[in-house]
Structures are given as structure tokens and as C-alpha cells.
Amino acid sequence: MANTDGGGARSGPAAAGAGTVLRVIRDGHAVTRAALAEHTGLARSTVTQRVDALLASGLIVEAGDSASTGGRRPGRLAFNHRAGVVLAADLGATHSRLAVSDLAGTPLAEVALERDIADGPEAVLGLVHGRFGGLLADAGRAPGDVRGIGIGIPGPVAHDSGQPVNPPIMPGWDGFPIPEWFAEHFGADVPVLVDNDVNIMAAGEHWATWRDVEHLLYVKVGTGIGCGIVSDRRIHRGAEGAAGDIGHIVVTDREDVVCRCGNTGCLEAVAGGRALAQQLAAAGYDARTSRDVVRLVREGDAGAIRTVREGGRALGQVLAACVNFFNPRVIVVGGDIGEVHEHLLAGVREVVFQRSLPLATRDLRIVTSRLGDRAGVIGAAMMVVEHLLEPDAVDRALRAAATTA
């Protein structure tokens, strides 16, 4: 029988350890011992061993009886999302959001905070750690309940090590050992995963809203512009973790604009929130940040609306190329400027549907984020949850627990 990662196909006995059994229960494919034996191909005695280990770990619980087909009603099993918590932080350039979530990725307590990422890692992470303690108390949980930590930062990340790599707006962060910093406070056995902020936003939006979509682009239009890529329902990071950096693709006919990266004509320098604010300031408006741009648009200012729509057209140029190359089913637009989506998306759609191939746009949807500024913390939490509950990781944890018992 073929192996499976917990989907609809059956797993061979050699593959179906306790972690795979847990995945099958989490996905709802089988929730009784008899159904697990049928689904996995394991002997009933082996299923009983796997289930007993998962019950002892607290990862599953008995959840009452299911419908009987004759004889004694079979006991139902359910994933115990209360078996621990994960800490999640979506750190932005100037504002961030933190959360404590259960093992289903549901936030139990959240807080937004203002802090400039340029203040450096010790100052920012010290604040985050302090707020995590308060959130744990608010959620009625203790530091010992923490099973993992997920962090998103506004810059490139070496995903395997969790270290920032030459982040342009994060002085002092290059190569900083974020996982090791948190390990000093929560212990080396608590995994700390770090990713680019737009990747965790893409993961959160996909998990919460578009789980059945295989190919999705999440575009964050805030101070800068970035893109998270979901391919075959997984985040695509590229060879060095730099995939999706669309903010530095050149916009046609705007090569005169100098970008902070040193090149000219970059999309971020034309249509990012900072760039739009600078354009409005040059025209006499009181605008310094992306939030000022949003404020002016919401006040109905015609000049601000026109500027945002032009920014949408520039973004549409780049996304049209992405649509032809990647052929996503959904493009989700979020970030500060994404909050005035009716004007931004008007410009995006105009150019994308004009310049992309008809086959690529036949079923394409271009929508605004449904999670708003919560996409990042939900994505960071699910990044950790999926890491913790990956079948091999569960099997290793159960073996380790058995040897120390």
C-alpha cells in the first residue's frame, strides 16, 4: 500500500507510526480504533499501542461514542488542541502583533505593540519576551506550557538557522541568533522558527481562508512590498530563502526612481507605502507613512485616491508577469495600503487582466486579505504547530519521552 502524509490515501504499516495516526485523527479521516486500522492497514493491536501512546502524551483524548453499526458503540478519538500553546510574533517595521495560540492555531490572547525594528534585536526581543509573559498570564497558561515559538521579521531569513540575512531596514539584526536568544528564556527543547513576515502572512491567510487552493500569492503592500508564495499548499522559499522579493522588480518607464537598495525603478520605490507617502508629501500633503496615505484615502481625498490607484497599476505590472510565470489561482493583497483595497485593487486588476494570458486569468481571483493584520500571527503559530505535529517529529518526541520515563 502507498504511503501518505495524512491525506485520503492509505498508509503502509511501516509508515504509520503514532505521528501518522495523529495526523489521520487531526484530519478527520478516521476517529475510531477500528477506522484507524482500516485506514492505515495496521493490525488492531498496533493501532491500540499507537493510540495509547498518544493518549498518554495528551495529544489526543477520548471524545465520546460514535454511531454504532451493531454491538458496542466505538469510542471516538479527538486531537487535544489544549495540550500546549505556541507563541507567535509578527514583527513589522514599526508595529507588531503577538499572540498565544493553542495547538489548532487559535489565538487565546493577542496584543498589538508599537516598536521600531531598527531599535535592534536586544531591545525588540526583550519587549516581545516581556509581552509574551503577559499574554501567557492572560490565557491562563504558564511558560512550561509553551511547545514552540514562531517569529516573523520584515527582512530576509536563512530559514534553517533562523538568522536574518542583511535585512535592509533592520540595523544590528544581520546574523543575530534569534532562536538561541529565546532558548535562553524558554529552554533548548522549545523549537523557535523564524521566517520572513510575508511568508507567515501567506501561510496564515492560506490556512484560515484558502486551504483548498494549491497555488496562491500573498502580496503585502505596506512600507515596502513583498510576496509570499504558496505552491502545492506549501510555502515556497527558494534556494536561499529569497523567493517572492517582488519589491525589487523594475517597473517599466519608472527607471528614474532610486530605490533604497541602490537600484532604480524598483516596484517598492514606486508603489510601496513609503513611496506613495513621499509622492503625496511632494504635492503638499501631510503624509509621512503608509498609514497617512490610508488616512487620506479614507477621507476621500481625490489626489490620494489617484496616487494609490496609480500605485496599483504599477503593482499590476509586476503581478501580471507573476501570473504568467506562476499561474496562481488566488492573489491576496494585504498590508497597510491593502486596507484601501477598493482603489489599490482597481489598478491591479486593470493591468493584470490586460497583460496576463487568458488561460492564466480564466479562474484567477484577486482579493483583499480577510485576516488583515492578524494573518502574520496565525501563520507564525501554524508554522510551529505543523513543525511540532509533523509525524516524524511526534514519533521522535514519544520515543524521547519513553526513554526518560
Side-chain angles (χ1 to χ4, degrees):
M1 287 177 287
N3 293 342
T4 180
D5 62 358
R10 298 171 75 185
S11 299
T20 298
V21 171
L22 176 63
R23 175 64 60 86
V24 173
I25 293 170
R26 284 181 68 208
D27 290 346
H29 295 303
V31 295
T32 67
R33 292 165 176 81
L36 285 167
E38 181 180 357
H39 184 88
T40 63
L42 293 171
R44 294 215 177 182
S45 59
T46 305
V47 167
T48 296
Q49 293 174 351
R50 305 281 195 263
V51 168
D52 286 348
L54 292 169
L55 285 169
S57 73
L59 287 172
I60 63 172
V61 292
E62 300 276 7
D65 296 331
S66 61
S68 174
T69 56
R72 192 166 70 90
R73 295 164 67 90
R76 290 179 63 251
L77 302 165
F79 171 58
N80 181 17
H81 56 85
R82 300 182 182 88
V85 296
V86 298
L87 305 178
D90 175 19
L91 306 182
T94 57
H95 46 279
S96 306
R97 180 170 288 272
L98 315 181
V100 174
S101 299
D102 65 16
L103 295 185
T106 303
L108 305 176
E110 293 182 66
V111 66
L113 57 89
E114 301 291 325
R115 187 66 186 252
D116 195 328
I117 199 76
D119 289 343
E122 294 287 354
V124 173
L125 297 182
L127 176 62
V128 169
H129 176 252
R131 293 300 179 89
F132 275 157
L135 289 174
L136 284 168
D138 291 344
R141 307 303 290 262
D145 296 325
V146 176
R147 300 290 178 262
I149 302 170
I151 307 290
I153 63 172
V157 176
H159 188 66
D160 290 342
S161 68
Q163 295 181 359
V165 180
N166 295 319
I169 63 170
M170 301 172 63
W173 287 80
D174 183 32
F176 187 85
I178 297 175
E180 289 79 359
W181 192 94
F182 278 104
E184 293 181 5
H185 300 277
F186 290 94
D189 58 338
V190 175
V192 181
L193 305 184
V194 186
D195 207 344
N196 178 269
D197 61 349
V198 75
N199 283 344
I200 63 170
M201 291 175 184
E205 198 74 39
H206 183 261
W207 172 263
T209 309
W210 304 100
R211 212 175 301 180
D212 293 334
V213 172
E214 293 187 350
H215 307 294
L216 173 147
L217 297 179
Y218 179 94
V219 182
K220 178 188 176 185
V221 188
T223 301
I225 297 178
C227 179
I229 304 168
V230 175
S231 179
D232 288 331
R233 297 190 176 93
R234 296 178 180 272
I235 294 295
H236 173 76
R237 296 183 176 88
E240 304 296 340
D245 194 2
I246 66 171
H248 298 286
I249 295 176
V250 174
V251 177
T252 304
D253 300 328
R254 297 302 303 271
E255 289 88 346
D256 59 320
V257 180
V258 179
C259 180
R260 60 181 175 173
C261 73
N263 292 321
T264 57
C266 293
L267 174 64
E268 182 177 298
V270 174
R274 179 188 285 110
L276 297 180
Q278 289 173 345
Q279 293 170 33
L280 290 171
Y285 288 89
D286 178 18
R288 291 175 293 174
T289 69
S290 56
R291 290 184 173 183
D292 292 328
V293 177
V294 171
R295 171 181 54 79
L296 289 167
V297 170
R298 286 178 171 169
E299 291 173 356
D301 185 90
I305 292 171
R306 184 167 55 252
T307 299
V308 168
R309 188 164 297 206
E310 283 298 322
R313 292 190 182 99
L315 177 59
Q317 272 192 44
V318 172
L319 290 181
C322 294
V323 167
N324 287 332
F325 179 79
F326 180 62
N327 188 203
R329 178 58 55 87
V330 176
I331 297 175
V332 181
V333 179
D336 285 350
I337 302 300
E339 293 181 14
V340 287
H341 57 271
E342 65 271 22
H343 304 292
L344 183 71
L345 293 193
V348 170
R349 291 182 177 125
E350 175 186 335
V351 178
V352 167
F353 287 101
Q354 178 184 30
R355 297 196 177 192
S356 301
L357 296 173
L359 180 61
T361 57
R362 184 176 63 187
D363 298 313
L364 175 67
R365 298 183 64 182
I366 303 175
V367 300
T368 189
S369 168
R370 295 185 186 178
L371 295 179
D373 62 3
R374 301 180 68 241
V377 289
I378 291 174
M382 289 312 305
M383 173 175 66
V384 176
V385 167
E386 291 301 308
H387 173 81
L388 292 171
L389 301 183
E390 190 272 330
D392 286 345
V394 171
D395 291 340
R396 287 193 299 270
L398 292 180
R399 286 195 297 268
T403 58
T404 58

